[in-house]
Amino acid sequence: MRLVLVGPPGAGKGTQAHIVAAQLSIPHISTGDIFRANVAGGTELGLQAQEFMNAGELVPDSVTNAMVADRLAQPDAQTGFLLDGYPRNREQAVVLEGLLAERGIALDAVVELDVDNESVIARLLDRAIKDGRADDTEDVIRRRLDVYSEQTEPLVGYYREHGLLRSVDGVGSIEDITARIVAALAS
Ligand code: AMP
């Protein structure tokens, strides 16, 4: 299966993507995780991404799209993948479609984790304490939520129009949410 998981920062995308990808035996591809690994490793890509991440802004499309194209060309992604945190704007969605179309394939579904703003902020502040992520400070959290509603949320409508969207209630226990995602994918 070729899947995308979309939802605001703090919706629990990473947790669910990890579980669902393992269940489906497909790679979990998180652009945020790849960027963080590159920042930690001090690579050229990390240097390019770091300032945007710390400000809660999107890393430029040219950088992000090239990274995803490389990742999707790896052998483990040939039979399926679960993209977590990509695409994040219309331009990236169009590039992804093109990348897949070149290989004669397309997405099977886009799962939206639907979570209210208050739950999201509470989760992000909790994660800030537990994980100490550099972009989980209050100002940056606010900016990331704005970026989500301005740039990423419109994708939900885009994928709905394309008949790919499966909206899932993202509030509840980890197990319940996983079960909802699995059920939504089966429908
Ligand atoms: P995440 O872990 O998905 O919340 O991503 C953390 C940060 O990485 C984001 O706030 C962006 O700065 C950057 N990032 C992750 N995915 C993308 C993407 N698809 N496009 C641009 N920037 C991204």
Side-chain angles (χ1 to χ4, degrees):
M1 277 195 126
R2 298 181 180 91
L3 305 173
V4 164
L5 188 58
V6 66
K13 288 192 303 296
T15 305
Q16 292 300 330
H18 179 76
I19 298 170
V20 172
Q23 281 190 12
L24 297 174
S25 303
I26 51 178
H28 166 206
I29 301 177
S30 157
T31 43
D33 283 352
I34 300 174
F35 282 134
R36 277 185 290 278
N38 278 276
V39 169
T43 69
E44 179 62 35
L45 179 63
L47 291 175
Q48 286 175 326
Q50 192 163 24
E51 61 177 300
F52 296 99
M53 296 175 77
N54 288 344
E57 302 293 339
L58 296 186
V59 176
D61 288 342
S62 55
V63 174
T64 306
N65 288 328
M67 177 180 91
V68 170
D70 273 1
R71 182 62 188 89
L72 290 181
Q74 301 295 311
D76 67 333
Q78 299 317 301
T79 52
F81 51 77
L82 197 172
L83 281 166
D84 159 15
Y86 180 95
R88 250 175 159 98
N89 60 26
R90 180 70 78 104
E91 170 66 20
Q92 293 181 7
V94 170
V95 166
L96 174 63
E97 230 167 79
L99 275 177
L100 299 178
E102 275 171 19
R103 291 160 46 193
I105 54 180
L107 291 175
D108 293 304
V110 174
V111 176
E112 177 202 12
L113 274 186
D114 192 14
V115 181
D116 60 279
N117 241 6
E118 269 172 42
S119 306
V120 153
I121 292 171
R123 283 190 197 175
L124 287 170
L125 291 174
D126 185 54
R127 186 170 77 188
I129 296 165
K130 287 187 185 141
D131 299 353
R133 254 175 69 163
D135 59 352
D136 277 344
T137 61
E138 201 176 326
D139 281 356
V140 180
I141 286 173
R142 202 165 289 133
R143 182 61 197 145
R144 285 162 64 215
L145 289 169
D146 285 347
V147 167
Y148 181 78
S149 51
E150 287 161 17
Q151 301 191 49
T152 310
E153 212 168 11
L155 284 182
V156 170
Y158 175 81
Y159 284 126
R160 187 181 290 118
E161 283 164 21
H162 285 67
L164 288 171
L165 191 74
R166 311 274 188 279
S167 262
V168 166
D169 177 4
V171 180
S173 70
I174 290 176
E175 295 75 17
D176 285 349
I177 298 166
T178 304
R180 287 177 205 148
I181 294 173
V182 171
L185 289 175
S187 70

